[in-house]
Amino acid sequence: MGLLGAGPAGPIPGVATREATLAYSRSHGSAFDPGHYSDFQGRIKLSAIGLGTFPGLADDDTDRAIADIVHKGLTNGLNVIDTAAHYRYGRSLRAIGVGLRRALDDGVDRRALWLMSKGGFVTLPGTPLADPASYIETEIIAKGLGRPEDCAGTQVLSPAHIRAQIDQSRAALGVETLDAFLIDQPEVQIPAVGKAALIDKLGAVFVALEEAVRAGAIAYYGVSSFQAFRVATDDALFLSLASLVALAQKAAKAVGGTESDHHFALIELPFNAVMPEGFSRFNQITGDGGEASTLQAALALKLYTVASHGLFKGHLAKQPIDILVQAMPRLANDAQRALQFNRSTPGLGTTLVGLSTPAHLDDVLAVARTQVLSHSAYMALYRRTEN
């Protein structure tokens, strides 16, 4: 049966709570810098570094490695896990589930953990396909999970497909409820259907997500983007945070609530020392109409920000950036300096680092024990790059 074996009898109940995450942060507090935990919605404590599960081959050895990383991370102060329904052909979900069970067996409280998955891209059946379109036709369109106009490459953006991927994520992780579910890179639809059509699709999907909250399948939802939150306002792929919040408000009303009842609560975007646009580019507006960076606008709109590509697919662990070397000479290597740059960024809640080699987790934990840069030291990095 491979890594998972027969599996447990039933799903794990619970979601992250204020009390449990606070207790978790306090239990690890003596080992970490005070800046290691961020506040989600002012009450839930989330580690400033989270574990991503995209990298690695689709094989049993990588499954075992991810399970080991998740187990060690969750028992050593990292309480944020990020994945997606399609990562490693769905194998990352199952590997996380194994590591999660081990952590719970060691006494970690499920309610102290933040488990988030993403959806939109089709979970392909284990190997690259010569004709993905044919697979989508038989497995998505013919089964009523989406229409041809919902498809852009291997992404299908429809309420039915998103509901199916929420259920897939919950079942593979072995949990009753996901803390968050994010729509992954909706901007890839824009070249195919245009921005207006994408907004209509997102409106329908947000209604499905609000329904999923009411059903207890997820606690919150959000949007994960590669380009939409980093590009200039006039770029065709740009998406406005304020407009997404407005969609969520409308969706909340559609399911019988009020505008303030919506559960759109977080965004994810690439951020690192060579992709700093989320902090440095003023391309968003806040609720009061002011211009702001994505990180600033997210704070104003009460959205938690998660950074993907913390090590830029491993490149920042191998290629030194002179300004970071000069600013952080005491850190052991370039990977640590790249993560320290991110976790010191004002307004950034959690930085994800994708790992498939257990030994690399030691660098993550070393950074967590390091004091974050002061605001003035961090801002000086930008002034030095301008000179």
Side-chain angles (χ1 to χ4, degrees):
M1 295 183 185
L3 173 67
L4 292 184
I12 303 163
V15 292
T17 66
R18 177 184 182 277
E19 294 76 15
T21 57
L22 181 60
Y24 181 92
S25 68
R26 287 174 173 169
S27 70
H28 295 281
S30 60
F32 294 128
D33 173 73
H36 176 63
Y37 292 100
S38 301
D39 289 326
F40 172 83
Q41 301 235 326
R43 59 183 186 274
I44 295 175
K45 293 289 184 180
L46 302 184
S47 54
I49 303 178
L51 298 175
T53 58
F54 177 81
L57 299 174
D59 58 21
D60 289 347
D61 287 344
T62 306
D63 287 345
R64 283 187 284 269
I66 289 176
D68 289 344
I69 290 166
V70 168
H71 172 230
K72 183 176 179 180
L74 295 180
T75 53
N76 283 276
L78 307 179
N79 69 338
V80 176
I81 303 291
D82 175 84
T83 191
H86 73 285
Y87 281 1
R88 299 177 53 254
Y89 305 104
R91 297 181 69 136
S92 287
L93 287 165
R94 297 191 294 274
I96 293 166
V98 173
L100 172 63
R101 290 278 177 176
R102 292 179 190 165
L104 299 186
D105 288 344
D106 284 345
V108 176
D109 188 341
R110 160 63 183 100
R111 299 169 300 171
L113 308 178
W114 184 266
L115 306 175
M116 59 183 178
S117 186
K118 298 187 285 291
F121 290 99
V122 173
T123 307
L124 299 175
T127 57
L129 297 178
D131 186 13
S134 178
Y135 180 83
I136 290 172
E137 177 66 37
T138 58
E139 297 299 320
I140 302 296
I141 297 173
K143 293 182 178 180
L145 295 177
R147 308 163 300 172
E149 56 265 38
D150 295 324
C151 305
T154 58
Q155 190 195 68
V156 178
L157 196 55
S158 71
H161 186 231
I162 294 303
R163 283 192 290 264
Q165 291 198 309
I166 290 173
D167 290 343
Q168 174 195 348
S169 297
R170 293 165 58 220
L173 290 174
V175 299
E176 285 186 357
T177 307
L178 300 170
D179 296 285
F181 191 85
L182 282 67
I183 303 305
D184 196 6
Q185 299 182 53
E187 69 268 26
V188 303
Q189 296 267 336
I190 294 174
V193 302
K195 189 175 294 187
L198 169 62
I199 295 301
D200 288 343
K201 290 183 185 184
L202 283 175
V205 166
F206 278 18
V207 171
L209 291 167
E210 291 289 348
E211 291 171 341
V213 173
R214 292 195 164 209
I218 63 176
Y220 298 96
Y221 63 92
V223 169
S224 175
S225 165
F226 185 77
Q227 293 174 295
F229 303 142
R230 297 189 301 115
V231 298
T233 307
D234 59 356
D235 191 290
L237 298 181
F238 171 78
L239 288 176
S240 159
L241 295 185
S243 68
L244 294 178
V245 170
L247 281 181
Q249 292 171 336
K250 185 176 179 180
K253 292 180 68 175
V255 299
T258 65
E259 289 187 353
S260 61
D261 292 333
H262 75 84
H263 295 83
F264 176 57
L266 68 166
I267 61 168
E268 185 176 312
L269 74 160
F271 185 84
N272 55 57
V274 297
M275 302 172 76
E277 297 89 354
F279 182 81
S280 62
R281 172 168 281 158
F282 280 57
N283 60 350
Q284 298 281 347
I285 59 170
T286 61
D288 59 6
E291 293 183 357
S293 69
T294 292
L295 267 62
Q296 290 173 324
L299 281 174
L301 294 166
K302 297 181 172 57
L303 301 174
Y304 190 82
T305 304
V306 177
S308 63
H309 295 74
L311 292 179
F312 194 23
K313 297 185 182 295
H315 295 298
L316 295 179
K318 305 171 186 175
Q319 299 175 0
I321 297 177
D322 289 344
I323 193 170
L324 298 188
V325 174
Q326 295 165 15
M328 308 173 214
R330 294 184 180 180
L331 291 182
N333 54 48
D334 295 314
Q336 292 186 17
R337 283 184 276 270
L339 293 176
Q340 178 71 331
F341 172 84
N342 267 32
R343 69 192 285 266
S344 302
T345 303
L348 184 57
T350 295
T351 288
L352 301 173
V353 54
L355 298 176
S356 58
T357 302
H360 292 168
L361 184 58
D362 292 338
D363 279 326
V364 176
L365 296 175
V367 175
R369 291 189 289 268
T370 304
Q371 184 176 358
V372 299
L373 298 176
S374 68
H375 181 77
S376 60
Y378 180 85
M379 295 305 298
L381 296 174
Y382 287 87
R383 289 193 292 271
R384 287 165 69 180
T385 58
E386 294 170 356
N387 294 334

